[in-house]
Amino acid sequence: MIIILKSGSSEEDIQHVADRITQLGLTPHISRGEFRTIIGAIGEEGAALPEQLEQIAGVEKVMPIMRPYKLASREFNPDDTVLDIRGVKVGGEHCAVIAGPCSVENRELLFDVARQVKAAGASILRGGAFKPRTSPYSFQGLGKQGLEYLAQARAEFDMPIITEVMDPRDVELMADYTDIYQVGARNMQNYNLLLEVGQTKKPVFLKRGMAAPINELLMSAEYVMSRGNHQVIVCERGIRTFETQTRFTLDISAVPVIRANSHLPVFVDPSHAAGQRELVADLALAGMAAGAHGVMVEVHTNPEQALSDGPQSMLPSSFRRLMERLRQIAELSGRRLN
Ligand code: PEP
Ligand code: MN
């Protein structure tokens, strides 16, 4: 249930309402806005009646939520969530571009790509150190060494970094390196992993499973948030359909649907959806035009020899042109790129 407090509530009033919610067997999640405070009361269905909550001093209104997700819902937070990732703002009117190679292959490649995407205007650097590959015989990533290269690139190019976490046991190790935990499409419903990153204080970039409806993506965001970490970005990266011309089908409608139902920032990853670099720019632009808060794009200086996802990786020169057009679309829709 969503509990809206009277405007001008003091810290004492807020605490009183939170205490009463706890006494009723629910867990309060407080969201302090500029003008009013909203508390999400989470717990077993039927644990408390809306009338019981309405009686609490300081409460203005109680709204039962029908959606299965609560903390991730627009009702819980009517304003867009804006994250600040080492000075890069994401959400609301703030848009950002994440770019880099699919995998961290070696230091030289990572630095080369980082230098060029930074110069083109990307604000966050990506690179996989632990790779979820369809075949156990494919390159699996450099592991800890890859994380070290990423951290060095962050220092050199002054860009926050994002890298995928596949195993709950790696969450702690990765905290020393990454700025954002990426949870990949294949792990969107790895609930232990979601709960583990939910206990950290770092943003989580949650990719939509290739066969997951939007509601299930938002339920996975809810898992992370239920542990206290409300810094979640969700990402549409293509779903399985009957179409065979692209690797996956980029579900553009997911962007406005998520924005209508959730306050969380939404990204689009056209690279993994398309599977071919020729389509990436158009899909990235479509995602931004549909209201995404940013895109994640794979870039490689020598895609022909990439150890993963070469066919969909853009060359730095095409990425530079894409950045200019993304900037124009963001401005046209009253938003701005970092
Ligand atoms: C990736 O970002 O490199 C990746 C593996 O993405 P996804 O989980 O969307 O397939
Ligand atoms: Mn990839």
Side-chain angles (χ1 to χ4, degrees), residues 73-130:
S73 74
R74 254 293 159 213
E75 285 93 342
F76 178 64
N77 189 357
D79 301 324
D80 283 354
T81 283
V82 179
L83 306 182
D84 188 323
I85 308 163
R86 283 179 167 257
V88 176
K89 288 206 171 140
V90 175
E93 62 183 30
H94 305 277
C95 300
V97 173
I98 302 174
C102 177
S103 306
V104 179
E105 300 177 13
N106 54 63
R107 191 176 187 274
E108 196 186 350
L109 167 86
L110 182 69
F111 274 52
D112 207 5
V113 174
R115 183 178 311 106
Q116 301 200 53
V117 297
K118 166 93 185 184
S123 41
I124 301 171
L125 177 66
R126 67 152 284 151
F130 299 97

Side-chain angles (χ1 to χ4, degrees), residues 163 165 171 174-175 178-183 197 200 202-205:
T163 193
V165 58
V171 169
M174 291 174 74
T178 197
D179 299 305
I180 308 170
Y181 288 106
Q182 176 172 325
V183 174
V197 292
T200 71
K202 292 189 189 234
V204 175
F205 189 87

